[in-house]
Amino acid sequence: METTFSPEQMQVPAIAIANDILRKCVHCGFCTATCPTYVLLGDEADSPRGRIYMIKDMLENAKPAPARVVKHIDRCLTCLSCTSTCPSGVDYMHLIDHARVHVEETYSRPLGDRLLRMVLAFVVPNPVIFRLSLIGARLARPFRALMPGRLKGMIAMAPDKIPTPSRCDTPQVFAAEGKRRMRVALMTGCAQKVLRPSINEATVRLLNRHGCEVVVAPGSACCGALVHHMGKEDASHAAARNNVAAWTAEIDGAGLDAIIINASGCGTTVKDYGFMLKGDPAWAEKAAKIASLTKDVTEVMSALGIGENTLKEQPSVVYHSACSMQHGQKLREEPKNLLKNAGFEVRDPVEGHLCCGSAGTYNLLQPELAGRLKVRKAANLEAQGAAVIATGNIGCLVQISGATDTPVVHTVELLDWATGGPVPEGLK
Ligand code: SF4
Ligand code: SF4
């Protein structure tokens, strides 16, 4: 694609990067067929190619983002399905990230929209406040009908039962069972440990059982993905620096062989810390080191090899590959192979490449499209007739649970169960 940035514009590193990305696009349109918003709406402006054109115009003109463009950028799920399909290797992720920062800096959203985004950016990454908000939302349920549209949807999403916090999420070291094979840091995250604390507990047990000493590093917290996808660059970079500092202290101390992430949405962002902070001389090198050590839990478990299966009977599993897992991190076979090696019969759904509509806060900000994707995904998963749905991302787990009676559990909960852990919470 031809671009016409001025020499002055090209002096800005972010514009130079956007220019390189844009020039790779050959307008072939292969990406449209696998884009969930194009599949639903059939509008070129809601396809990757359409968005790339709009972003190009917006950045070249160096003007405030127009409302028409913001609408289509906001509708993008950042599912990255287009990057899996694109034959030219267009780095759509960094392009849409840059476009969102431009929107955030130049576009004045309607007041209600601004307030909602401020609340989400403040509440969700903070586990204590998020937990209190969920309790409040549950209490407000009887008055739901009186609430305005999106607030009504948010209240409906509060789980019936809010689990008590896990003691495993505070800074500490969990010793390896038997001979130590690795020393790893676990990112305990933000929303996940409130909604399903059993996932971190299962992860620690599984890793310990397979010879990993697991440390929850003091100071590590939310990865920043949520604010990153809202274009709030200062907040996302602050979250990245916070975690880089926490894990660097561990590397400099007792050492780390890997940083383990068990929510693939977070993993995609932490693996990008090197890119996010590369313009900051004080942090660039450390961030790149952290990114290079970051692994999804299934990557490390694949390298270690799954232990002996202790179950006599196991349910059939249909595996939902989160977009951040299959498109963001390109991890497609590892989780399924681990489940198979642990004795589960694993089935694949049709339209496995399409997003479930969770996409961070997308289901709260774009409830109509997210709802349609959720129902479609749940139907495709249920059609496999498996007893359990497994996935590796908390957002998908919550989203899909809202549209099916089939239990939805995290992949590590099944692996932990099969190798000696308790029955996953969702299957009790
Ligand atoms: S990230 Fe997903 S929703 Fe956005 S343009 Fe690409 S395929 Fe479409
Ligand atoms: S598939 Fe790639 S090269 Fe083709 S239009 Fe989409 S982004 Fe551009």
Side-chain angles (χ1 to χ4, degrees), residues 203-267:
T203 305
V204 170
R205 281 192 303 267
L206 182 71
L207 289 168
N208 284 167
R209 194 177 301 126
H210 289 79
C212 295
E213 180 175 295
V214 180
V215 55
V216 177
S220 64
C222 169
C223 67
L226 190 138
V227 284
H228 184 62
H229 292 145
M230 289 185 188
K232 296 181 186 298
E233 192 173 54
D234 288 348
S236 66
H237 285 196
R241 281 193 291 268
N242 174 67
N243 284 331
V244 169
W247 292 323
T248 300
E250 280 300 326
I251 294 170
D252 294 344
L256 284 180
D257 297 306
I259 294 154
I260 305 282
I261 316 282
N262 58 11
S264 59
C266 308

Side-chain angles (χ1 to χ4, degrees), residues 70-149:
V70 174
K71 174 172 134 184
H72 298 294
I73 288 176
D74 282 354
R75 280 188 187 162
C76 171
L77 294 133
T78 325
C79 69
L80 307 180
S81 176
C82 47
T83 62
S84 289
T85 315
C86 175
S88 302
V90 172
D91 180 4
Y92 180 84
M93 180 177 91
H94 288 129
L95 187 66
I96 192 84
D97 285 349
H98 179 63
R100 289 201 162 114
V101 172
H102 184 80
V103 168
E104 185 68 10
E105 288 173 350
T106 65
Y107 179 68
S108 180
R109 292 182 182 277
L111 183 63
D113 207 10
R114 236 180 307 154
L115 282 174
L116 177 60
R117 283 166 180 264
M118 269 171 54
V119 168
L120 290 173
F122 176 67
V123 170
V124 182
N126 185 325
V128 175
I129 296 172
F130 183 46
R131 194 158 192 284
L132 290 173
S133 306
L134 289 178
I135 294 169
R138 210 184 50 187
L139 295 174
R141 252 197 215 159
F143 313 104
R144 204 173 73 195
L146 307 173
M147 308 278 179

Side-chain angles (χ1 to χ4, degrees), residues 56-371:
K56 169 184 163 335
D57 283 348
M58 180 177 78
L59 296 180
E60 280 179 345
N61 290 329
K63 289 198 178 128
R68 183 184 60 84
V69 174
V70 174
K71 174 172 134 184
H72 298 294
I73 288 176
D74 282 354
R75 280 188 187 162
C76 171
L77 294 133
T78 325
C79 69
L80 307 180
S81 176
C82 47
T83 62
S84 289
T85 315
C86 175
S88 302
V90 172
D91 180 4
Y92 180 84
M93 180 177 91
H94 288 129
L95 187 66
I96 192 84
D97 285 349
H98 179 63
R100 289 201 162 114
V101 172
H102 184 80
V103 168
E104 185 68 10
E105 288 173 350
T106 65
Y107 179 68
S108 180
R109 292 182 182 277
L111 183 63
D113 207 10
R114 236 180 307 154
L115 282 174
L116 177 60
R117 283 166 180 264
M118 269 171 54
V119 168
L120 290 173
F122 176 67
V123 170
V124 182
N126 185 325
V128 175
I129 296 172
F130 183 46
R131 194 158 192 284
L132 290 173
S133 306
L134 289 178
I135 294 169
R138 210 184 50 187
L139 295 174
R141 252 197 215 159
F143 313 104
R144 204 173 73 195
L146 307 173
M147 308 278 179
R150 284 194 286 194
L151 196 55
K152 201 185 294 181
M154 287 165 74
I155 287 171
M157 270 184 210
D160 293 333
K161 185 170 170 276
I162 297 158
T164 48
S166 170
R167 280 191 291 174
C168 128
D169 290 331
T170 49
Q172 60 195 294
V173 178
F174 299 90
E177 288 177 24
K179 186 172 178 296
R180 189 177 96 175
R181 298 163 77 189
M182 292 179 88
R183 186 174 196 270
V184 301
L186 173 66
M187 194 188 83
T188 56
C190 53
Q192 175 174 280
K193 66 183 175 195
V194 176
L195 294 164
R196 198 65 88 91
S198 57
I199 295 172
N200 283 343
E201 291 171 352
T203 305
V204 170
R205 281 192 303 267
L206 182 71
L207 289 168
N208 284 167
R209 194 177 301 126
H210 289 79
C212 295
E213 180 175 295
V214 180
V215 55
V216 177
S220 64
C222 169
C223 67
L226 190 138
V227 284
H228 184 62
H229 292 145
M230 289 185 188
K232 296 181 186 298
E233 192 173 54
D234 288 348
S236 66
H237 285 196
R241 281 193 291 268
N242 174 67
N243 284 331
V244 169
W247 292 323
T248 300
E250 280 300 326
I251 294 170
D252 294 344
L256 284 180
D257 297 306
I259 294 154
I260 305 282
I261 316 282
N262 58 11
S264 59
C266 308
T268 305
T269 297
V270 179
K271 285 182 177 182
D272 201 39
Y273 277 0
F275 183 91
M276 286 165 68
L277 297 182
K278 74 176 178 183
D280 185 338
W283 291 90
E285 199 178 319
K286 288 183 213 163
K289 170 87 177 165
I290 294 301
S292 71
L293 281 176
T294 300
K295 306 273 181 250
D296 184 77
V297 60
T298 57
E299 284 180 279
V300 167
M301 283 308 303
S302 298
L304 292 170
I306 195 80
E308 196 182 329
N309 173 14
T310 60
L311 299 176
K312 291 198 176 68
E313 276 184 50
Q314 286 163 273
S316 52
V317 176
V318 56
Y319 176 71
H320 164 69
S321 187
C323 297
S324 43
M325 188 76 84
Q326 59 172 320
H327 306 307
Q329 299 186 52
K330 312 290 183 217
L331 297 173
R332 300 192 173 104
E333 299 306 318
E334 290 84 344
K336 287 191 288 183
N337 286 341
L338 280 168
L339 286 167
K340 285 177 195 165
N341 292 343
F344 294 97
E345 181 215 325
V346 182
R347 302 174 191 172
D348 285 314
V350 297
E351 293 191 339
H353 62 283
L354 280 188
C355 183
C356 66
S358 168
T361 53
Y362 190 90
N363 52 359
L364 300 171
L365 296 169
Q366 301 283 338
E368 199 269 325
L369 289 175

